[in-house]
Amino acid sequence: TKEKLREVRECKRTFDDFTHEDPHEDHDGLDEASLREHEQVTKVKNVNRIQMGKFIVETWYFSPLPREIWKQGDDVIDVLYFCEFSLNFYRSRAEL
């Protein structure tokens, strides 16, 4: 049994080593200043919830949106409305 546990432990270490990802891997081409600015902007989510039809979903992370919808310095969007037919999104229900 101890031998089996040792094998499992070794497999887990190998798996963890294999799946380790660099958190900045997707940001190739950004210098350090640009990377810090990107991390600062995306640290706080900018949309609290999205609504599509009768469904409302709370968001977990920052949402990259076109500048016409949200730009840095704007208030957090409480609800972002999605058209369930075209998948376009709007800041207010009236625009929908």
Side-chain angles (χ1 to χ4, degrees), residues 51-56 79-82 90-96:
Q51 180 173 346
M52 184 182 290
K54 64 180 182 177
F55 302 100
I56 298 175
V79 180
L80 188 65
Y81 299 91
F82 279 79
Y90 306 94
R91 283 188 74 137
S92 70
R93 184 185 291 272
E95 291 177 290
L96 186 62

Side-chain angles (χ1 to χ4, degrees), residues 22-84:
D22 180 8
H24 302 298
E25 186 176 293
D26 294 339
H27 305 296
D28 291 340
L30 289 179
D31 61 356
E32 283 298 316
S34 298
L35 187 57
R36 275 194 301 278
E37 180 184 355
H38 171 75
E39 287 177 349
Q40 189 66 31
V41 170
T42 60
K43 191 179 287 187
V44 178
K45 68 181 183 177
N46 54 350
V47 177
N48 288 329
R49 295 174 292 182
I50 60 170
Q51 180 173 346
M52 184 182 290
K54 64 180 182 177
F55 302 100
I56 298 175
V57 180
E58 289 194 28
T59 60
W60 291 5
Y61 303 106
F62 173 83
S63 304
L65 296 169
R67 291 191 190 278
E68 303 84 51
I69 302 294
W70 186 88
K71 57 185 171 288
Q72 186 177 358
D74 283 356
D75 291 334
V76 174
I77 299 171
D78 188 43
V79 180
L80 188 65
Y81 299 91
F82 279 79
C83 174
E84 54 192 316

